[in-house]
Amino acid sequence: MLAVLGAFRALPLEMASNLGGWIGRKLVAPRYVAKPAVVNSVRVPFPAATDAEVVAILTEMSDNIVRVGVETAHLKVLARDHGRIVLEGVEHLAAARAGGRGLLFIGGHFCNWEVAGIALRRVGIDGAFAVMPPSNPYVFDWLARWRMSVGFSEQVNAGEGVYRAFRRRLRGGGVAGLLADQRLENGIKAPFFGREVTTNVVPARLARTLGIAVVPLAIERVAGRVAAFRLEVHPPLEFEHSGDNDADERAFTARINAFFENEIRRQPGQWLWADPRWDDL
């Protein structure tokens, strides 16, 4: 895999991204279109979608996910070129940091999620981020160094105590980031497109126990440009206490899921459908 990434890194960024998109559409998309669980996953939020519309969504997704891998080899190029990554909604950060609170950014697997740390570091925000390590340790080490050189400078591996690691950092007013949109085996049940699904509880539990600000971060590809992105910082989600911790965490998690629902409806082909989100598919 490192050799493949090295070959793409030798190409100009836009050429590499476009080649990755072509590979995604022609070689990767047919595999996902042939998987009933993935097709059925698309039909949960879009029950009226035609077969052609489902194929179009999965083809765009495949285009995007290969571009993400290819563009990851060019993270330093993206970090140097300030015109490729635009960050909006920075004014919400002041409210989020009020009183020296810890700050947890939550995002999803949309567009190229790898560039979020670059955008935040440019405005002076650094912290820890959680990642799912690949099976190849050499690839993992390379990716870790590459990411941390331009984005958040600390990495926490999923499955190795993300909650505890984030709690230590956030308790002192620090910053962390988490992709919270994918399926988990050990989360809590919360509504997502009208179904109860197992969902990451870490943001809700940290918000309940520490009073941190949880800030959704949206990302989209800029129309008409290759490897260019717009990120938007949303107002912080404030945790509401009723005295029933379980119910409060569920309600907060449902609000996070609602944010992802809106993003999926807005740009369905830019979300990672490859890992079916719903437990009963």
Side-chain angles (χ1 to χ4, degrees):
M1 183 176 178
L2 289 179
V4 173
L5 289 174
F8 277 110
R9 189 167 60 175
L11 298 174
L13 169 59
E14 292 192 5
M15 181 184 296
S17 180
N18 282 333
L19 177 57
W22 183 88
I23 292 172
R25 294 190 303 275
K26 301 299 183 181
L27 303 181
V28 177
R31 299 183 181 183
Y32 288 119
V33 170
K35 292 184 176 182
V38 178
V39 171
N40 292 339
S41 185
V42 177
R43 294 195 184 280
V44 173
F46 303 109
T50 65
D51 291 347
E53 288 169 336
V54 172
V55 169
I57 289 172
L58 293 179
T59 300
E60 185 180 349
M61 177 205 72
S62 302
D63 173 296
N64 181 69
I65 59 176
V66 181
R67 286 182 190 267
V68 171
V70 169
E71 291 163 354
T72 297
H74 288 271
L75 284 181
K76 291 189 176 181
V77 176
L78 288 166
R80 290 195 300 267
D81 188 345
H82 286 217
R84 289 191 178 275
I85 305 173
V86 176
L87 182 64
E88 300 178 355
V90 179
E91 66 275 9
H92 297 306
L93 296 177
R97 299 306 300 271
R101 292 191 297 174
L103 181 58
L104 176 64
F105 288 97
I106 56 167
H109 291 79
F110 294 92
C111 305
N112 189 336
W113 53 89
E114 297 283 357
V115 305
I118 296 174
L120 293 171
R121 190 158 165 177
R122 281 181 184 166
V123 295
I125 296 176
D126 191 12
F129 64 101
V131 299
M132 182 64 71
S135 56
N136 186 319
Y138 299 104
V139 173
F140 177 61
D141 290 344
W142 179 85
L143 280 174
R145 292 194 301 271
W146 204 243
R147 288 165 170 154
M148 290 187 290
S149 69
V150 294
F152 277 16
S153 60
E154 181 182 342
Q155 180 170 288
V156 178
N157 300 342
E160 295 183 1
V162 170
Y163 174 79
R164 291 190 297 273
F166 277 13
R167 183 177 173 83
R168 286 193 298 270
R169 172 173 278 276
L170 295 168
R171 185 163 36 195
V175 176
L178 178 70
L179 297 175
D181 59 326
Q182 292 296 293
R183 179 176 178 175
L184 288 183
E185 298 298 330
N186 58 349
I188 62 171
K189 294 289 186 178
F192 191 46
F193 284 109
R195 299 193 184 193
E196 293 292 314
V197 301
T198 308
T199 307
N200 195 327
V201 72
V202 167
R205 191 148 298 166
L206 288 169
R208 177 178 66 81
T209 58
L210 298 181
I212 63 168
V214 176
V215 179
L217 185 65
I219 178 171
E220 63 183 16
R221 289 186 181 271
V222 177
R225 296 188 62 193
V226 177
F229 309 91
R230 186 184 76 88
L231 288 83
E232 182 180 2
V233 178
H234 283 243
L237 300 176
E238 302 296 344
F239 194 91
E240 298 178 357
H241 296 268
S242 73
D244 185 334
N245 291 339
D246 291 342
D248 294 344
E249 288 182 356
R250 183 180 185 279
F252 190 82
T253 302
R255 292 167 62 196
I256 293 174
N257 281 351
F259 166 73
F260 292 133
E261 287 176 6
N262 290 334
E263 290 300 297
I264 291 167
R265 290 190 182 99
R266 189 170 66 86
Q267 46 179 356
Q270 293 293 298
W271 190 52
L272 185 62
W273 298 92
D275 182 18
R277 183 72 173 81
W278 289 270
D279 300 339
D280 56 353
L281 294 179

